[in-house]
Amino acid sequence: MFRIETEVDRARRDLLHSRLRDTNTKASPVLRALRKTPAERELPLHVWVLDDQDELAAGLVGHTWTAWLHVAYLWVDERWRGAGLGSRVLAEAEKIARSERGCTSSRLETWDFQAPGFYKKQGYEVVCVIPDYPPGITEYTLTKRLS
């Protein structure tokens, strides 16, 4: 007999994560080789652009893991859009990921009304399209080889 519960439970979440990690490590020689190496850990990667008043003009929040940069957020203040700040911030993050952390690829997600065209101009390719996520919006996953 089983009982289903739906409350948020951090201890069970952590236990589930640990068990899934153990199962994945056992099943994958690639993940097994990663364990207990520096590449196993996610390292934050942030890039900030401040204006002459020390106000945030643009920024990128992401992390590196194994050989990948994952861009979570990239934003440019409306006053500075079209001035090349987004390209510069993204290029700086890619440079750090490549030269300081050994990354060979980058990935990110964006919605149809945000910036898929911008990322394509930066050399990213669409690898996944999820329509209606959320309803009425299309989400894109894009990747790029860092050379």
Side-chain angles (χ1 to χ4, degrees):
M1 172 141 270
F2 297 97
R3 181 177 74 245
I4 296 177
E5 296 181 359
T6 60
E7 81 271 357
V8 174
D9 183 321
R10 291 182 181 172
R12 286 180 183 158
R13 178 203 61 196
D14 293 346
L15 177 60
L16 181 73
H17 179 259
S18 175
R19 288 182 178 175
L20 180 60
R21 177 185 161 96
D22 291 346
T23 299
N24 291 344
T25 300
K26 187 176 177 182
S28 169
V30 172
L31 291 178
R32 212 169 21 258
L34 264 179
R35 298 300 181 229
K36 297 188 172 120
T37 71
E40 177 184 30
R41 300 196 61 85
E42 288 182 4
L43 296 175
L45 196 158
H46 298 178
V47 179
W48 309 110
V49 177
L50 305 176
D51 66 15
D52 57 2
Q53 305 295 315
D54 281 337
E55 295 292 326
L56 184 63
L60 179 148
V61 172
H63 68 269
T64 55
W65 178 68
T66 67
W68 282 82
L69 164 63
H70 184 196
V71 177
Y73 311 118
L74 191 156
W75 174 83
V76 177
D77 187 287
E78 192 172 338
R79 296 173 293 161
W80 303 111
R81 291 183 190 153
L85 287 183
S87 300
R88 288 172 56 193
V89 167
L90 185 58
E92 182 67 17
E94 291 172 352
K95 182 183 93 173
I96 292 167
R98 184 181 56 252
S99 64
E100 296 178 22
R101 302 188 186 183
C103 291
T104 57
S105 300
S106 178
R107 68 169 288 208
L108 55 89
E109 297 82 26
T110 190
W111 284 322
D112 55 5
F113 65 87
Q114 288 178 320
F118 165 78
Y119 292 116
K120 289 177 188 176
K121 288 179 187 173
Q122 309 309 310
Y124 284 76
E125 297 179 10
V126 174
V127 295
C128 179
V129 177
I130 305 174
D132 284 331
Y133 184 74
I137 296 175
T138 299
E139 182 181 90
Y140 295 89
T141 301
L142 296 96
T143 62
K144 177 180 177 179
R145 297 289 296 165
L146 302 176
S147 52

